[in-house]
C-alpha cells in the first residue's frame, strides 16, 4: 500500500503532508537534474577528449577531461543562476 492510498479523511492531504510530498518531489527532481548533468557532461567531454578509447587514459586525456568538465560545470552554473534570477524577477512582478 503506498502513502497516497492510505491517507485519512477520504484521501485528502493536510498541509504538512502536502509539504512533505513537495519536498520529496523537489529532491527527486534535483537528483534527476544532477544525473542528467553528469551524463551530458560525461558524453560531451568524453567525445571531445578521448579519441581512442582503451583501458586507461593518458595524461593529456585526463587533463582535457578535467578542463572540459570544469568548463561545463561553470557554464551550467551560469545558466542556472541566470535562470533563477529571471524566475525571481518574474515572480516579483506578479
Amino acid at each position: 500500500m503506498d502513502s497516497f492510498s492510505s491517507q485519512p479523511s477520504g484521501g485528502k492531504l493536510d498541509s504538512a503532508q502536502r509539504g512533505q510530498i513537495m519536498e520529496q518531489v523537489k529532491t527527486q527532481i534535483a537528483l534527476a537534474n544532477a544525473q542528467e548533468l553528469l551524463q551530458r557532461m560525461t558524453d560531451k567531454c568524453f567525445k571531445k577528449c578521448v579519441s581512442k578509447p582503451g583501458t586507461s587514459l593518458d595524461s593529456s586525456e585526463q587533463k582535457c577531461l578535467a578542463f572540459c568538465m570544469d568548463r561545463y560545470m561553470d557554464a551550467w552554473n551560469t545558466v542556472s543562476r541566470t535562470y533563477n534570477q529571471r524566475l525571481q524577477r518574474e515572480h516579483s512582478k506578479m
Side-chain angles (χ1 to χ4, degrees):
M1 186 182 285
D2 63 13
S3 61
F4 293 110
S5 61
S6 62
Q7 297 301 319
S9 66
K12 293 183 181 179
L13 301 173
D14 63 30
S15 62
Q17 291 168 323
R18 282 192 303 270
Q20 183 181 18
I21 290 170
M22 288 301 294
E23 286 304 313
Q24 290 173 350
V25 169
K26 287 178 184 179
T27 300
Q28 290 172 351
I29 290 171
L31 180 58
N33 285 337
Q35 289 172 332
E36 181 181 352
L37 169 63
L38 185 58
Q39 184 63 46
R40 284 185 180 186
M41 183 172 50
T42 301
D43 290 344
K44 290 182 182 297
C45 292
F46 188 85
K47 287 176 185 174
K48 179 183 184 329
C49 297
V50 181
S51 57
K52 296 179 184 174
T55 58
S56 63
L57 299 172
D58 64 30
S59 62
S60 64
E61 290 171 330
Q62 290 177 15
K63 189 173 184 178
C64 179
L65 284 168
F67 283 127
C68 179
M69 293 175 93
D70 286 344
R71 285 192 308 270
Y72 199 93
M73 287 299 296
D74 288 343
W76 178 272
N77 288 333
T78 300
V79 170
S80 295
R81 194 170 38 255
T82 303
Y83 179 71
N84 285 331
Q85 289 170 352
R86 183 174 180 179
L87 286 176
Q88 287 175 354
R89 281 196 310 268
E90 292 297 321
H91 183 57
S92 67
K93 289 180 183 179
M94 296 178 128

